[in-house]
Amino acid sequence: PPQTPIRAAMTSIQQLRGDLTSSGDQPSTNLATYFKNCTVDPMQAVLLRLETLEQAFSQRFGQAVGPRCTLGCQRFKLGVRLYYKIMEAMLKSEEKRLSVQNFSKLLNDSTFHTSLLACALEVVMATYEESSFKTGGYNHDAAGGDPVKTDLCFPWILDVVDLPAFDFYKVIESFIKAEPTLSKDIVKHLETCENLIMERIAWRTDSPLFELLKQEHGGGAADQVETPAS
Amino acid sequence: SHDYHFGLEDHEGISELFDCD
């Protein structure tokens, strides 16, 4: 039977939490094995980064949402579970594709981890409709209270974790591939993020894209340098 | 896939996107 928007949202939330029940707050045994197989074990760096980003996220979440700042910690914890789950799935897929088990360069890349975590957090906030292109930034209190305006809609998360949109874009497709149970709405949400990045955000003046384009074109020659506007 | 357009080829994955190939 058709669901009301509130019921649909609550079903989505229950599904997300259910899917992550078996995922721990720490890397699984399999994931820890991938870490140990690295030339440099990234475990400590991963945990330290999560600690730092949890503080940043919770603080900014509280500033945006208001007095219910404890929700920020809950969202982050769910995001971390999803981040670990997706990372493990990605590595399994890469292991099969590339026939390698040492992913030291990838797993010691801070940008990769920040991008993956940001995507997981974006999925969590989209599930709770705190990041929504449809509602224009408003979400309804689950207990049926007054609508509360939030400013958590993408690309809010990029500013919180200090991540260029260009780098965030890289994980989206692999994220969707690694988690086939993502709902149609969430896939659509991520696709909208992709389109926003491709059409607009990746071309902002401070984007790393321009430096990469310069390098790609053999960089250096003054007459080959284009302004961001062009 | 819910009509999502997957653009990566079979020989492309997260390792290539982060220059880890």
Side-chain angles (χ1 to χ4, degrees):
Chain A
Q3 294 182 325
T4 64
I6 295 287
R7 173 52 61 187
M10 292 180 75
T11 303
S12 262
I13 291 167
Q14 278 168 2
Q15 185 180 338
L16 176 70
R17 295 174 72 106
D19 286 346
L20 296 176
T21 303
S22 54
S23 303
D25 295 328
Q26 300 294 327
S28 68
T29 311
N30 286 340
L31 189 55
T33 301
Y34 280 116
F35 287 359
K36 287 196 181 73
N37 284 343
C38 291
T39 310
V40 177
D41 188 338
M43 178 74 86
Q44 290 310 312
V46 165
L47 296 177
L48 189 60
R49 184 182 304 108
L50 286 177
E51 218 177 282
T52 306
L53 291 178
E54 180 174 11
Q55 285 177 17
F57 180 85
S58 300
Q59 187 183 14
R60 291 287 301 271
F61 192 96
Q63 284 171 1
V65 173
R68 295 172 295 171
C69 61
T70 53
L71 285 176
C73 293
Q74 291 173 19
R75 301 292 184 259
F76 192 86
K77 283 184 170 26
L78 260 186
V80 168
R81 287 181 176 217
L82 185 58
Y83 154 80
Y84 282 141
K85 185 184 181 196
I86 299 293
M87 195 189 314
E88 186 176 335
M90 279 184 182
L91 292 173
K92 274 192 184 136
S93 171
E94 288 294 273
E95 182 181 11
K96 194 174 168 185
R97 186 175 69 91
L98 300 170
S99 301
V100 299
Q101 288 177 327
N102 183 342
F103 293 101
S104 194
K105 194 167 180 214
L106 181 68
L107 292 176
N108 280 285
D109 186 338
S110 179
T111 305
F112 164 70
H113 286 283
T114 307
S115 301
L116 191 56
L117 178 66
C119 197
L121 290 169
E122 185 64 27
V123 166
V124 170
M125 290 194 295
T127 303
Y128 280 89
E129 298 195 354
E130 284 147 357
S131 178
S132 170
F133 299 110
K134 287 182 292 188
T135 62
Y138 282 86
N139 75 305
H140 291 260
D141 186 282
D146 293 332
V148 175
K149 186 177 189 308
T150 67
D151 296 311
L152 305 177
C153 192
F154 185 82
W156 176 84
I157 188 63
L158 300 184
D159 191 57
V160 172
V161 299
D162 192 23
L163 180 72
F166 177 76
D167 291 318
F168 179 84
Y169 185 96
K170 294 176 190 175
V171 299
I172 296 176
E173 180 169 334
S174 301
F175 193 107
I176 293 172
K177 222 183 251 186
E179 185 60 25
T181 63
L182 287 176
S183 71
K184 183 178 178 178
D185 284 342
I186 294 300
V187 172
K188 190 73 196 162
H189 180 88
L190 290 176
E191 195 174 31
T192 305
C193 293
E194 264 190 338
N195 291 337
L196 266 176
I197 294 171
M198 182 68 87
E199 290 167 9
R200 209 162 16 105
I201 312 175
W203 302 98
R204 288 181 181 163
T205 313
D206 54 354
S207 173
L209 180 56
F210 295 106
E211 186 57 38
L212 288 167
L213 284 171
K214 217 192 293 184
Q215 289 171 15
E216 191 70 17
H217 291 149
D223 58 358
Q224 287 178 8
V225 172
E226 295 187 53
T227 62
S230 65
Chain B
S1 63
H2 300 299
D3 299 325
Y4 176 82
H5 171 69
F6 290 97
L8 292 173
E9 309 266 346
D10 289 341
H11 63 277
E12 293 172 324
I14 199 76
S15 299
E16 284 78 17
L17 289 168
F18 283 91
D19 299 323
C20 297
D21 52 337

